[in-house]
Amino acid sequence: MKDLESKKDKFIRRELWMLTYMAAFQRANIYTKLDQVSEKARKEFRDGMFIWCNELVEQQYHAEVSGEKHIENIHALVKYTSKYFPDILDNRRIKFGIAQKILNLYLKYLWCIGDIPTPPHFPIDRIIQDLLKLPKRYSWTKMDSVEEYKMVINQSKKVMNRKQFSSLSELELKYYNRPR
């Protein structure tokens, strides 16, 4: 029975990862020259990030993680890509905005299925910034600054407090609906 539960958990995490990966990279143009990056290299990148993110989740996200620690983790993901995959990535790493989308979206999925407590932040993209009517909006695929990220988070916290939500994740879940 324990083996079956483990297989079910691995299956659902892999499926959630594929949704995360597709959402984070479909418009991001991360590869240095897509036509020169082999499918094998892209698979190694995708699988390496999956392993890295799951190890991080197991080490830290089964308990509450502070916003500052979470930002450090996003930075760590950027550094991981620059260390292990520089030759296939544009600018030899992924941008901060792409890293936040990967980590925040994957955490959102895991939270929604009850695997982890409420994440400290939510996946930032143009849609949620528009839905929250934030006064200053940033392109998440171009965002490469912690300051820009913090501006969106701080603006969103004001909306969260005004609308009386207990977390940024709950706020985003209420407002975000996949475009049909």
Side-chain angles (χ1 to χ4, degrees), residues 24-41:
F25 294 126
Q26 67 185 351
R27 292 181 176 89
N29 299 320
I30 62 161
Y31 298 111
T32 184
K33 293 179 183 160
L34 183 57
D35 61 333
Q36 295 178 7
V37 177
S38 70
E39 179 57 37
K40 180 182 179 214

Side-chain angles (χ1 to χ4, degrees), residues 155-180:
Q155 290 177 54
S156 300
K157 283 180 180 177
K158 290 177 184 175
V159 175
M160 177 190 80
N161 291 332
R162 191 170 61 248
K163 301 280 186 179
Q164 299 181 334
F165 282 88
S166 60
S167 73
L168 288 170
S169 294
E170 289 176 20
L171 173 73
E172 188 266 355
L173 193 61
K174 166 73 175 163
Y175 280 85
Y176 184 86
N177 286 306
R178 180 180 301 281
R180 305 275 181 236

Side-chain angles (χ1 to χ4, degrees), residues 5-44:
E5 290 304 312
S6 175
K7 286 181 181 176
K8 287 167 56 177
D9 184 60
K10 285 179 185 174
F11 169 77
I12 199 67
R13 282 191 179 216
R14 177 62 74 177
E15 293 299 306
L16 295 175
W17 178 253
M18 291 307 295
L19 290 171
T20 300
Y21 189 83
M22 289 186 296
F25 294 126
Q26 67 185 351
R27 292 181 176 89
N29 299 320
I30 62 161
Y31 298 111
T32 184
K33 293 179 183 160
L34 183 57
D35 61 333
Q36 295 178 7
V37 177
S38 70
E39 179 57 37
K40 180 182 179 214
R42 286 181 280 176
K43 182 180 182 329
E44 288 172 358

Side-chain angles (χ1 to χ4, degrees), residues 5-107:
E5 290 304 312
S6 175
K7 286 181 181 176
K8 287 167 56 177
D9 184 60
K10 285 179 185 174
F11 169 77
I12 199 67
R13 282 191 179 216
R14 177 62 74 177
E15 293 299 306
L16 295 175
W17 178 253
M18 291 307 295
L19 290 171
T20 300
Y21 189 83
M22 289 186 296
F25 294 126
Q26 67 185 351
R27 292 181 176 89
N29 299 320
I30 62 161
Y31 298 111
T32 184
K33 293 179 183 160
L34 183 57
D35 61 333
Q36 295 178 7
V37 177
S38 70
E39 179 57 37
K40 180 182 179 214
R42 286 181 280 176
K43 182 180 182 329
E44 288 172 358
F45 175 66
R46 183 177 61 238
D47 291 349
M49 290 193 31
F50 175 68
I51 292 165
W52 188 93
C53 285
N54 274 297
E55 287 175 358
L56 182 69
V57 167
E58 294 305 317
Q59 292 167 4
Q60 295 184 30
Y61 287 91
H62 283 284
E64 191 172 310
V65 172
S66 72
E68 285 304 313
K69 181 62 180 167
H70 182 64
I71 289 171
E72 288 176 22
N73 291 339
I74 296 168
H75 266 302
L77 180 53
V78 172
K79 289 178 186 174
Y80 169 77
T81 65
S82 70
K83 181 175 182 180
Y84 293 102
F85 303 100
D87 295 337
I88 67 168
L89 298 172
D90 191 33
N91 294 320
R92 304 183 62 78
R93 63 177 175 74
I94 59 173
K95 292 181 179 172
F96 188 88
I98 295 167
Q100 70 77 26
K101 178 85 170 207
I102 293 165
L103 187 54
N104 284 327
L105 186 56
Y106 192 55
L107 292 173

Side-chain angles (χ1 to χ4, degrees), residues 145-158:
S145 152
V146 172
E147 290 73 29
E148 290 174 341
Y149 180 79
K150 285 182 177 180
M151 293 268 290
V152 174
I153 293 300
N154 290 334
Q155 290 177 54
S156 300
K157 283 180 180 177
K158 290 177 184 175

